[in-house]
Amino acid sequence: MENIHYQYWFMKNEDITYGKKPKLIEYFYDSYNLYNASKAELMATKLLDEKTIDKFLEGRKKFDLEKEYYEFYNSPFSFITVENDKYPEKLRNIYDYPYGLFYIGELPDFNRAVSIVGARRCSAYGKKMALELGEKLGLNGFTVISGMARGIDAYSHRGCLDSGGNTVAVLGSGCDVIYPSDNRNIYEEIVASKGAVISEYQMGASPVALNFPRRNRIVSALSDIVIVVEARDKSGSLITADFALEHGKDIYVTPGRVGDSLSTGTNKLISQGAGIIYNIDAFVNELLNYYGQPKSELNRKKESLNLTAEQKKVLCMFDEYPKSLATALEESNMDYLKLLSTVLSLERLGALSEVFKNNYVKMI
């Protein structure tokens, strides 16, 4: 029997909590020794109570090492544990590192990794920031990490995917459980583009609320920098920021308006010393000056829009905050039908987005 069989057995084990698994491996050195440990040896660790040990030993007897592993081997999923040299070094360096990760796709080396997190119910401004950050980081060879939640997470992945970049989703469910279900396209595109969807949770595990704070420590640990785009006070994004501080990561935020509930968390981080992204191009250039240019050019790049003079004039009237057609009409001195026609043409090109009826924001 190969060592990988014992690793898979321990990955599958549900008698031992996620937090205790690495400690048992530290004590027994590897899963093979743990598999062959006696009750007395397990008791000597002082990590488990007798009831848990009895349940653990009973489950071990029933587990068919070879059969179980080869059933998993023939699936599209993979796993990696701390017993493997390819286990991400950044994870080894945190206090409560996971014993292993299930994943689908291809794990990157995480050498140039930036995580982007933020509000699920984000504003049009937050959406624009997340899309642009994901796109420009992906285009310049950075791995974008997020949690595939609605809102900022999803837009960060989407921006990176659209640039041809590499992105990793860390789930609070099993990596075979697509949550939320309306992000199925993002999940499938991540896998198809040779990114990765990862989770420390069992295959089939439901996305229960308690999983997400624990998931956030992995998002932080795998990245070099954590970016928070819009966060309410006491939000999950601030939990990720707390982990980032604990892990010694740099934190950056996109600032928001004072009094806006979606900016309470990010503005508080600024008051605590977080870096401010005042210009995305300048921020990415700063990272490139530190990390160097990517080793290879990405195959796909967004083509510049070829706008008419009239389209450029109208586009300049909009920014990341919603503006009504009535206001734009007053500012432009254009004929209403001409203005409407130009705005609709810009919307088709993806340069403007209607966030609510007759109110538009700039998207490029």
Side-chain angles (χ1 to χ4, degrees), residues 44-57:
T45 67
K46 297 183 180 179
L47 291 169
L48 308 171
D49 58 48
E50 188 169 5
K51 184 178 179 181
T52 300
I53 290 172
D54 288 340
K55 190 176 179 182
F56 173 77
L57 293 172

Side-chain angles (χ1 to χ4, degrees), residues 202-219:
Q202 296 290 338
M203 303 293 289
S206 299
V208 298
L210 290 174
N211 289 354
F212 293 95
R214 185 169 174 83
R215 177 277 305 269
N216 292 348
R217 84 195 194 287
I218 296 177
V219 173

Side-chain angles (χ1 to χ4, degrees), residues 50-75:
E50 188 169 5
K51 184 178 179 181
T52 300
I53 290 172
D54 288 340
K55 190 176 179 182
F56 173 77
L57 293 172
E58 186 62 29
R60 190 173 70 180
K61 290 178 188 175
K62 298 176 180 177
F63 194 90
D64 188 325
L65 285 168
E66 193 166 357
K67 177 177 177 292
E68 293 277 355
Y69 172 72
Y70 281 107
E71 282 181 4
F72 179 80
Y73 181 79
N74 290 318
S75 78

Side-chain angles (χ1 to χ4, degrees), residues 98-109:
Y99 167 67
L101 299 170
F102 287 106
Y103 67 94
I104 184 169
E106 297 184 18
L107 288 179
D109 57 20

